[in-house]
Amino acid sequence: MATPSAVPDILSPEFAADPYPYYRTMLEEFPLMRQESSGGYVISRHEDVQRAFRDPVFTTDNYAWQLEPVHGRTILQMSGREHAVHRALVAPAFRGNELQERFLPVIERNSRELIEQFATRGTVDLVADFSTRFPINVIADMLGLDKADHDRFHRWYTSIIAVFGNLAGDPEVAADGERTRRELGEYLIPIIQERRANPGDDLLSTLCAAEIDSTRMTDDDIRAFCSLLLAAGGETTDRAVSALFRNLLDHPDQLAAVRRDRTLIPKAFAETLRYTPPVHMVIRQVAEDVTLSGGTVPAGGTVVCAVGAANRDPRRFSRPDEFDVFRDDLTASTAFSAAADHLAFALGRHFCVGALLAKTEVEVAANQLLDAMDDIAFRDGAAPPEQGVFTRGLVTLPLTFRPAAAGASPAVGVPAVPA
């Protein structure tokens, strides 16, 4: 099966510049497409990508070469009882009362501290001054690490994300990822060992103490999970905050509605995840021949799940290329669970364990930013373009705004605690 000339290779500059027109062609004409640069296959329809996330014939064996060199072995590569136990060891900190009571104040404080640095200035690059710093600061704070090391965390995070999208096998990217794994281990392992001896009330201490069925995480298990959390947790929130504001600013009536009624923020975030997801492509590997829309992938084949295309599949969503906070075919109440309509957090057994953390971070950030900034506008009259292929988003978002009156009350409808 050859790549159709109507759609360039997904690693080409043309595709990277603007994948959305090509997504439409893929969805209608080439739902199963040969990927020339790697010899794998690209699937784009919602039903096919949904199946790839849920059907165990689609394995995560690919992470052995895609992510293990930079993370080590993580829960993403596990299956069966091993996966269930290790997920149960880490999941409690990212849901329910534990998240709300223990880490909500951490999230609120870190958002507020960043906003205070530009709140009276009238201008901000929302990416450089807020969204790239916010989730990394939160994760460092949750783990009980020194936020003064932010620049190192950010460099490691950037390196890990580059490895995630290195389907072309660039040796420099791979070498930098291996260096990041070594440096992060040298940084974290002594801290993990110290927390085992002298536990505190931070997440790292909780991971050290967690035990299920006589199974505990090793030092390297914890290091690998922290590496995964830094990359996946940072990337989702970083890109989602800037994308949310970019999408709302592109639709002033919807921005005004969200400003008036903050209970719309979860719907706006869910629609942002559908319309401009932080992760556009996720890889799976098939254990046996699999028939999908457009043909068959042979056993052992690598499948690139085009989440960015599937989230705009007209078979699943009406007016898929329109951003609409009020759409009735995207359910906000399930958008941050394994029953989500969009596919930005995957589905099934490998559904993103940090989805509720990302939801809470984005809701807190959006509320506090809207409270601090009135009359928000693109500084240069228009938003800059997105960048990236496997992960995609804004690398800058220069804005102007009128500083809100000191002590002004937030808009009605703001939930005291994000749900």
Side-chain angles (χ1 to χ4, degrees):
M1 181 186 300
T3 301
S5 58
V7 180
D9 190 288
I10 63 171
L11 299 184
S12 69
E14 296 90 345
F15 196 95
D18 184 4
Y20 298 108
Y22 300 121
Y23 286 159
R24 288 192 288 273
T25 302
M26 290 160 60
L27 285 163
E28 293 308 314
E29 300 179 40
F30 308 106
L32 178 64
M33 190 177 76
R34 181 76 168 181
Q35 171 62 32
E36 292 294 340
S37 59
S38 68
Y41 301 83
V42 183
I43 59 174
S44 52
R45 289 185 180 171
H46 190 279
E47 64 175 349
D48 291 331
V49 175
Q50 184 180 60
R51 179 184 172 191
F53 289 152
R54 286 180 167 159
D55 189 336
V57 74
F58 291 84
T59 74
T60 56
D61 291 349
N62 53 284
Y63 287 141
W65 56 264
Q66 188 187 10
L67 291 183
E68 189 168 342
V70 64
H71 283 314
R73 191 167 183 270
T74 71
I75 58 174
L76 292 177
Q77 292 165 256
M78 299 175 187
S79 58
R81 185 179 182 279
E82 182 189 28
H83 177 265
V85 169
H86 278 77
R87 188 176 177 97
L89 287 168
V90 302
F94 299 94
R95 64 185 183 218
N97 291 337
E98 182 78 1
L99 176 59
Q100 295 297 329
E101 296 174 8
R102 188 174 178 189
F103 295 124
L104 178 61
V106 173
I107 295 167
E108 292 174 330
R109 179 177 67 251
N110 279 282
S111 176
R112 185 169 57 250
E113 288 173 353
L114 288 171
I115 292 171
E116 285 172 351
Q117 296 178 31
F118 60 80
T120 61
R121 206 167 63 205
T123 64
V124 63
D125 182 336
L126 197 64
V127 173
D129 297 333
F130 187 85
S131 70
T132 59
R133 303 187 67 83
F134 173 50
I136 297 176
N137 286 358
V138 167
I139 291 167
D141 220 344
M142 288 174 66
L143 292 169
L145 304 178
D146 188 350
K147 287 192 296 184
D149 291 324
H150 173 276
D151 288 344
R152 278 205 283 180
F153 299 146
H154 190 269
R155 178 167 55 82
W156 291 332
Y157 150 72
T158 303
S159 172
I160 294 167
I161 292 302
V163 170
F164 177 75
N166 189 28
L167 197 60
D170 185 323
E172 292 186 8
V173 172
D176 188 59
E178 292 173 0
R179 183 165 51 250
T180 290
R181 176 179 175 174
R182 183 175 62 253
E183 290 176 357
L184 188 56
E186 291 170 352
Y187 177 89
L188 277 177
I189 294 295
I191 298 174
I192 293 167
Q193 293 171 342
E194 194 277 331
R195 298 294 162 82
R196 288 197 191 277
N198 301 289
D201 61 356
D202 53 84
L203 177 58
L204 207 52
S205 298
T206 299
L207 295 174
C208 288
E211 182 174 348
I212 292 177
D213 296 339
S214 300
T215 298
R216 301 182 71 173
M217 298 175 75
T218 67
D219 291 355
D220 202 55
D221 287 338
I222 296 172
R223 179 210 55 78
F225 178 75
C226 291
S227 176
L228 180 63
L229 178 63
L230 181 66
E235 180 80 353
T236 299
T237 303
D238 173 359
R239 304 220 177 207
V241 170
S242 55
L244 172 65
F245 275 83
R246 182 253 176 91
N247 291 336
L248 289 174
L249 283 163
D250 276 337
H251 301 82
D253 56 331
Q254 297 184 50
L255 173 59
V258 170
R259 185 181 285 281
R260 286 192 305 270
D261 180 4
R262 305 294 179 79
T263 63
L264 290 173
I265 289 175
K267 291 178 71 68
F269 182 28
E271 175 67 346
T272 291
L273 290 172
R274 184 200 68 82
Y275 184 70
T276 47
V279 177
H280 273 233
M281 299 194 183
V282 175
I283 295 179
R284 291 289 187 263
Q285 192 166 316
V286 295
E288 58 189 56
D289 291 359
V290 177
T291 300
L292 298 158
S293 301
T296 298
V297 178
T302 298
V303 177
V304 178
C305 304
V307 172
N311 276 351
R312 294 191 179 204
D313 189 342
R315 295 160 191 79
R316 179 58 186 80
F317 300 103
S318 63
R319 301 170 290 104
D321 294 321
E322 296 179 21
F323 179 83
D324 182 6
V325 169
F326 302 103
R327 68 169 52 250
D328 58 10
D329 52 6
L330 184 67
T331 308
S333 61
T334 60
F336 309 96
S337 74
D341 302 314
H342 67 80
L343 302 174
F345 288 135
L347 295 171
R349 65 195 181 283
H350 289 294
F351 176 78
C352 177
V353 71
L356 288 179
L357 172 62
K359 176 180 185 287
T360 304
E361 287 177 314
V362 170
E363 289 186 14
V364 167
N367 272 302
Q368 291 190 2
L369 287 165
L370 289 171
D371 288 344
M373 302 189 298
D374 291 329
D375 301 331
I376 309 171
F378 297 125
R379 186 187 303 168
D380 301 318
E386 297 176 342
Q387 294 185 24
V389 177
F390 269 67
T391 64
R392 187 171 180 85
L394 300 167
V395 296
T396 184
L397 185 59
L399 303 175
T400 62
F401 63 92
R402 178 171 56 83
S409 299
V412 295
V414 182
V417 179

